[in-house]
Amino acid sequence: VRAILKSETLLKTVSLYLLYFLYTYFASAIISLLPMINSQVVMAVLDILFILVAIFCYKGELKQDLKELKTKYKTGQIIKIVLLGVVTMIILNAFTALLAQVFNSNVLMDDNTASIQVLANQSMIYTIFKMMIFGVVAEEILFRESLNKVLTNNILFVFASTIIYTGMHFVFVGAPTSIFQVLPYIFLAILLGTIYVKNDRNIVLVMLIKFTYNLIPLIGLFINK
């Protein structure tokens, strides 16, 4: 029975990753073949469908984590963990920027920030959706929750989720040209993965951290408008 459950869990994880690749390439194909269709609309529709599938696949785990967050944590504890995670990430990004200056790198910001600015110039509504909903819900289910029962060893989990999260962000944009483009993704993945395993693998808590962290550049976009 245990072997069957592990096989089903692995199959669900692999299927979700396969779906992610397929729908992304499918969207690119539609946009290329039908240039008259708004690309943001195509991507938004497919992104929403992927989120719904991801939530459906892990609805039991999400409900359980939300319940545990309400019963095991006080509001003050949640706020403390979220703020500590966000501040740590800001410090790590500042450290990366400092290293880039020391080594005279031409990379002034990570690709994620640059892509956000480009996307915002095309559609602010889709940018908000991509950052605050897709980037929080879909990505955290895909890169962490789906690996939860597949990789039970904490160290192996953090390592694997970091490699997958970092690698997947460059699959569709090409290989990075500098280590300083990669470091922010590595730092974020290690930090969120560590917080995840240290807090009984509660994905809802990690989503709150990711939501708050993504809110900062979004506010910056509105200020610079």
Side-chain angles (χ1 to χ4, degrees), residues 2 4 7 12 24 63 79 88 100-101 139:
R2 185 177 297 178
I4 294 175
S7 297
K12 184 165 67 172
T24 305
K63 288 180 180 179
I79 293 174
T88 302
Q101 288 186 347
E139 287 192 2

Side-chain angles (χ1 to χ4, degrees), residues 112-220:
N112 188 50
T113 304
S115 61
I116 288 172
Q117 290 184 343
V118 171
L119 192 62
N121 292 333
Q122 297 173 348
S123 173
M124 181 58 74
I125 294 176
Y126 183 60
T127 302
I128 295 173
F129 164 78
K130 198 73 173 178
M131 291 176 63
M132 309 310 299
I133 300 178
F134 188 88
V136 172
V137 179
E139 287 192 2
E140 289 310 310
I141 291 176
L142 180 65
F143 296 121
R144 267 166 279 280
E145 186 62 27
S146 71
L147 301 174
N148 179 25
K149 294 179 181 177
V150 176
L151 301 170
T152 55
N153 180 277
N154 288 341
I155 296 177
L156 180 59
F157 171 86
V158 173
F159 176 78
S161 62
T162 299
I163 295 297
I164 294 172
Y165 176 82
T166 304
M168 291 280 277
H169 275 82
F170 291 100
V171 167
F172 302 104
V173 298
T177 57
S178 169
I179 184 62
F180 301 108
Q181 290 176 296
V182 181
L183 284 180
Y185 295 100
I186 293 176
F187 287 151
L188 179 62
I190 292 175
L191 177 64
L192 295 181
T194 302
I195 293 174
Y196 181 62
V197 300
K198 290 291 185 181
N199 290 276
D200 299 321
R201 301 200 175 201
N202 192 305
I203 196 62
V204 177
L205 182 59
V206 176
M207 286 179 179
L208 289 175
I209 296 172
K210 188 78 171 291
F211 181 90
T212 307
Y213 177 70
N214 285 355
L215 192 60
I216 297 173
L218 184 63
I219 293 173

Side-chain angles (χ1 to χ4, degrees), residues 12 15 21 41 44 57 61 71 89 113 122 128 163 176 201:
K12 184 165 67 172
S15 298
F21 275 106
V41 173
C57 289
E61 290 87 342
T71 56
M89 197 58 235
T113 304
Q122 297 173 348
I128 295 173
I163 295 297
R201 301 200 175 201

